[in-house]
Every structure is written in structure tokens, then in C-alpha cells.
Amino acid sequence: MKQPFPFSAIVGQDDMKLAMILTAVDPSIGGVLVFGDRGTGKSTAVRALAALLPPIKAVKTCPVNSAKKTDCPSWANVKTRALHEVPTPVVDLPLGVSEDRVTGALDIEKALTSGEKAFQPGLLAKANRGYLYIDEVNLLEDHIVDLLLDVAQSGENVIEREGLSIRHAARFVLVGSGNPEEGELRPQLLDRFGLSVDVTSPTDIDERIEVIKRRDSYENDHATFMLRWQAEDGLLRERIIAARKALTKLKTPEKVLRDVAELCIKLGSDGLRGELTLLKAARGYAAYRNDTALTRSHIRDVAGLALRHRLRRDPLDEAGSGTRVTRIVEDVLGA
């Protein structure tokens, strides 16, 4: 089985790659929504992210990837305190998936063979401390959307059925991709994504040729191609690890907080989630750049990612949301 296409080898799509890197630096940003044409590397980027991310330390045999035994749920009956390194979980949530498959359910095999009521963990348990990826997220069934909203809000999965009363941690970064031609996303779920990216097919002929060359090398000279780009991925991984450490020491001046608040007021974004997400994204970006203090330039560079999907629709404004954000950012923060 071939290894995933390297993250560093993806041509262009800089906003998409930056958004995913920022969620790796600070998972509390809240996930990434990637909307755009078919064949623009959305799924490839998510698979590549899985190989790029640093491993996590988790208790052996713990079904929810707990960092210590005391965090592992009692129903798991974990006996060991030993930790081991595992790849950061990246779990696919397929369309048409049942609720039991997502949340977990009664272990039918154990119930039939031993008469015991035991819990079979679902996808939310596997995704804890990692990523939950939904391709064609705009086509997801409403009852699954409602379930994800509840879990994303609380950070906990609660199951009350068939005589079972189960709960476990379910904190994950939600990554969704889709084609806007196939339907819009429900506003409640849209608001849960920290960052939003619109991707399009490249129009530059040299860029398209480079995409073809790299894909051809990946498929026909796999070993050499991976050796070349895994080194780049390794350097990127080290930058992410360093940024996580730098994040705790980063200074946030009062004037930058004022800029963030003024920008969101001018844009008319609902609630305060826009300010909080923009601040986290800007801090993650500053840490990734190895800067020691947050500045207007950091806010300017990530404002579109954090705010374009939070704008109220203006039927009199024919410009897209990205253009509106750029226009108001220039007005508030300067060009």
C-alpha cells in the first residue's frame, strides 16, 4: 500500500495548506472547511496531513487515545498505565453512516456469547485527540449533523440506549470538504468550523504542468519521490512542534485585540466566535512564523480564513465574501 501523497508536495492551494497547518499548531481553532471544484486536492491534503502530523502519546489499549490512565473511561477496563506513541488519529466519517457507527453501540457479539452488556466504541472514540474528516460534508444527513454539533459543543460523546449509559471524551478537529454546486451547508454546522477555504482549479499553465509532473512521479517513481518530499514534510513537522511551544510565550498587545474587535464589528459577524477564532488563528500563524508578538500583519493574513464564512448575506453586494473581508480589512487595518 502506497504512503499518502506528501503534504509539502501539494502544488499551490496555499490558503488550504495554511489553514490545516494552523489547526495542527492550535487544534482549539476549531477545524477547517474546504469548498471548491472537484479534483483540486481537497481529499489529498487531508490524507497528507495525517502523515505530516506529529504522533501523540496514548495509553495502550485505551479506545479513546487517552494521554493518561485516569482519563480513560471506566467501561474500557484498561489495566495498564503504559504509554506508547501512535499516529495522530485521522478518521473518515463516510456519507450514509449510521448513528451507532458514529457514537458507538452495544457490542452484539459479546452480548450473544457471554450475555454481557458491553460498549463497542464508534468513530468519535477513534477520533479523540485527532481529526474527523467528512468528504462531501454538505450532503451529510441532518440527524448526523445534529449529533456532531452536540459533541463539538461539549467535547463529550454521551450514549443512553439499550440499557447502556456511556460517556467518553470526544475532542477532535473537524475537517470537511465539499462541492458548493451539490448543496449548501447548514448554518449551524458552518459556524462550527474555525476556518474556511475556497479552492479553485489553477489557471496558470506552469502550475498545472507541475501538478501533473509530481503526480506522475508519485505513481511511477514512488520511492524516489517519497524520499525527496518526506524530508520536506519532516522540516514542516518540526516547525509545527516548535510553534506549539512558542504559542504559550507569544505576546498579544491590547491594540491588536482592539483591531480584532473593530474588524468583526465592521464585518457584522454574528456573536463573538469570529473574534475568538481570528485571534487564535493569528496567534498560531505568528507562532508558526517564529514571531514573538502578535501584530496587525498576522491579523491581516488570516482574516479571510477565519471570517469569510461568518458574514451575513448582503443581497445588494455582488462581491463574494472573500472580497468583502479583504475590503474591510484594508479599511480597518490598512493595505
Side-chain angles (χ1 to χ4, degrees):
M1 182 178 178
K2 284 186 177 180
Q3 296 166 289
F5 193 87
F7 192 86
S8 300
I10 297 172
V11 179
Q13 308 299 6
D14 293 335
D15 281 352
M16 176 173 66
K17 290 190 289 187
L18 176 60
M20 291 186 179
I21 287 170
L22 292 180
T23 64
V25 173
D26 183 4
S28 70
I29 287 172
V32 184
L33 176 65
V34 185
F35 255 34
D37 304 334
R38 300 182 188 90
T40 48
K42 301 186 296 293
S43 298
T44 298
V46 176
R47 314 283 179 229
L49 181 69
L52 173 70
L53 292 170
I56 62 172
K57 288 186 177 180
V59 177
K60 287 183 177 180
T61 73
C62 180
V64 298
N65 309 308
S66 295
K68 48 188 178 180
K69 185 181 177 182
T70 52
D71 292 339
C72 205
S74 58
W75 52 263
N77 294 319
V78 173
K79 307 298 184 185
T80 180
R81 292 179 179 270
L83 299 176
H84 66 152
E85 280 195 347
V86 295
T88 297
V90 179
V91 176
D92 284 302
L93 194 151
L95 292 179
V97 67
S98 68
E99 184 173 331
D100 283 353
R101 181 76 183 96
V102 177
T103 62
L106 179 68
D107 188 333
I108 300 298
E109 182 179 348
K110 185 168 285 189
L112 292 175
T113 56
S114 63
E116 297 179 24
K117 284 186 177 179
F119 180 63
Q120 180 65 46
L123 296 177
L124 295 180
K126 294 180 180 179
N128 188 43
R129 300 182 65 205
Y131 285 71
L132 184 67
Y133 173 54
I134 311 169
D135 194 13
E136 307 295 349
V137 63
N138 46 326
L139 303 182
L140 200 62
E141 295 181 22
D142 284 350
H143 71 284
I144 300 296
V145 170
D146 292 336
L147 189 157
L148 290 176
L149 288 173
D150 289 342
V151 175
Q153 174 69 31
S154 65
E156 187 176 51
N157 182 33
V158 180
I159 304 99
E160 300 277 356
R161 69 168 77 93
E162 298 164 340
L164 291 173
S165 180
I166 297 292
R167 61 182 61 222
H168 65 77
R171 299 188 181 278
F172 47 82
V173 176
L174 193 61
V175 178
S177 65
N179 185 341
E181 295 178 357
E182 297 173 348
E184 295 184 350
L185 199 64
R186 280 177 56 182
Q188 298 95 322
L189 185 56
L190 180 64
D191 189 52
R192 285 293 164 195
F193 287 95
L195 307 176
S196 172
V197 181
D198 294 328
V199 295
T200 58
S201 302
T203 55
D204 181 80
I205 190 168
D206 291 330
E207 189 171 315
R208 294 177 80 106
I209 290 171
E210 187 61 25
V211 172
I212 296 169
K213 284 182 177 178
R214 292 188 188 181
R215 191 70 201 187
D216 182 64
S217 295
Y218 171 72
E219 293 180 356
N220 297 311
D221 190 11
H222 186 73
T224 303
F225 182 82
M226 295 303 295
L227 187 64
R228 157 73 175 86
W229 288 102
Q230 281 180 335
E232 297 291 329
D233 269 7
L235 292 174
L236 185 52
R237 186 181 302 111
E238 292 303 317
R239 283 190 68 181
I240 290 171
I241 293 171
R244 289 176 175 177
K245 295 177 181 177
L247 198 58
T248 59
K249 302 175 183 177
L250 192 70
K251 297 177 182 178
T252 306
E254 182 76 20
K255 62 181 180 180
V256 174
L257 297 178
R258 186 169 295 276
D259 286 337
V260 168
E262 184 180 352
L263 183 57
C264 290
I265 290 172
K266 286 283 185 69
L267 284 166
S269 60
D270 293 324
L272 293 174
R273 190 169 281 130
E275 279 97 328
L276 296 172
T277 303
L278 176 56
L279 181 61
K280 287 181 179 181
R283 285 175 55 83
Y285 181 58
Y288 178 67
R289 287 170 51 91
N290 199 28
D291 295 330
T292 57
L294 197 60
T295 67
R296 275 188 167 185
S297 65
H298 301 124
I299 300 295
R300 187 184 296 109
D301 288 345
V302 301
L305 300 178
L307 299 176
R308 67 163 57 95
H309 59 303
R310 304 182 192 280
L311 303 189
R312 298 171 186 167
R313 292 187 178 181
D314 185 353
L316 300 179
D317 191 343
E318 296 182 358
S321 58
T323 303
R324 289 167 59 195
V325 170
T326 300
R327 189 172 60 211
I328 294 176
V329 165
E330 290 178 355
D331 181 49
V332 175
L333 304 182

